[in-house]
Amino acid sequence: MIDYQEILDAIYVKLQKRVDKGKVASYIPELANVPKEKFGIYLNRIKGENFCVGDWDKPFSIQSISKVLSFAMAFARLKNQVFRRLDVEPSGNPFNHLSLLEMENGIPRNPFINSGAIVIADMLVTLLEEPKEEFLQFVRDVTGDQTIQYNIKVAANEAETGFRNYAAANLLKSFDNLENDVERVLDFYFHQCSIEMNCKQLSDAFYLFANRGKCMRGNSQLTLNQVKRINAIMLTCGFYDEAGEFAFEVGLPGKSGVGGGIVALLPNEFTITCWSPGLNEKGNSYLGMLALEEFTTQTNLSIF
Ligand code: DON
């Protein structure tokens, strides 16, 4: 029998002592001002038990983790049509890289780099009557928590500093891969990045990807085959140019965000979320990656 609580406690104590906690994202004040010492983990087992340690209940900016949820919503509704406008290959480049998009005629490598998420945002803006409201409702429903909110200030600051996202959206537009106005699509994209959740809420939201499309409460509308594919894209593209390293060290599908969150999962077993706002040079949570590496090593639970 694995003593999950003991393992999480030991990882927490060991990593808390680290002097080097990485660098907090500095491009907007709401991220720059988050104390580096924050650190939480929440494990949600499919069988029903859960375990937590540290700041697991403190909300943080989910940022790019939202890309999995927006992709899931578009994929559930548009099915394989989504792949007419983007690919499913790892980019091997930073999340906001632009030259590949130019070279590949405006077809983003995958839905989890910024340009791919902007194409997904465009699809949702076309598809939904009230895109921001309906997406937030989708996130609340899959999580089973109606309190989840956008942080309007973060969304506004993302817009003020989002020069590379404007560049990506305009490039997509020039290749005829953006149906709506750049401003409208980016407003949706900046809002999705601004959603705040804690480790428990993220573990609950991603439960459906570990549980064959069934949410904590209710159904997601995603088929088992779609869930398999989303997990495959998380494994190969969830950590940008560090996806190989994450698969190598941790061995789970997952997704990171520049707010310092990482959520990962083992199908039929668990979802786990770590939050530590200090990032490594690739923009992934420094302690979060170490914590997950320790967790899968100590429990021997990974997809490999
Ligand atoms: O659009 C951006 O660049 C940020 N709002 C989100 C980037 C992000 O979280 C990348 N993740 N590691």
Side-chain angles (χ1 to χ4, degrees), residues 15-137:
L15 293 180
Q16 267 290 52
K17 288 191 197 133
R18 287 243 176 179
V19 181
D20 182 4
K21 294 181 174 12
K23 275 202 187 123
V24 175
S26 57
Y27 68 98
I28 56 173
E30 287 77 12
L31 294 181
N33 294 335
V34 179
K36 245 188 208 185
E37 293 65 39
K38 296 282 178 204
F39 184 28
I41 310 176
Y42 190 97
L43 172 71
N44 189 355
R45 295 195 68 219
I46 303 306
K47 285 187 181 141
E49 320 141 86
N50 42 67
F51 304 89
C52 50
V53 66
D55 297 307
W56 63 272
D57 59 347
K58 305 283 182 308
F60 58 90
S61 195
I62 71 167
Q63 292 291 332
S64 285
I65 297 174
S66 67
K67 294 169 180 171
V68 182
L69 300 171
S70 59
F71 177 66
M73 190 182 192
F75 197 18
R77 285 166 174 70
L78 296 169
K79 317 274 184 299
N80 286 344
Q81 275 184 53
V82 295
F83 300 118
R84 291 188 189 156
R85 294 176 56 191
L86 46 77
D87 210 337
V88 289
E89 290 298 334
S91 76
N93 276 296
F95 55 85
N96 54 9
H97 189 78
L98 291 171
S99 52
L100 260 187
L101 186 63
E102 165 87 340
M103 286 189 317
E104 296 178 354
N105 302 317
I107 301 294
R109 273 285 170 108
N110 65 67
F112 299 158
I113 51 172
N114 287 12
S115 57
I118 291 169
V119 167
I120 294 295
D122 183 49
M123 290 178 194
L124 292 176
V125 167
T126 300
L127 192 71
L128 306 174
E129 244 161 68
E130 302 277 359
K132 285 188 280 187
E133 290 74 8
E134 289 175 51
F135 176 63
L136 185 60
Q137 196 53 53

Side-chain angles (χ1 to χ4, degrees), residues 27 63-64 67 95 114 158 165 189 193 240 256-258 283-284:
Y27 68 98
Q63 292 291 332
S64 285
K67 294 169 180 171
F95 55 85
N114 287 12
E158 292 278 343
N165 288 319
Y189 172 75
C193 288
Y240 314 109
S256 62
V258 290
N284 297 314

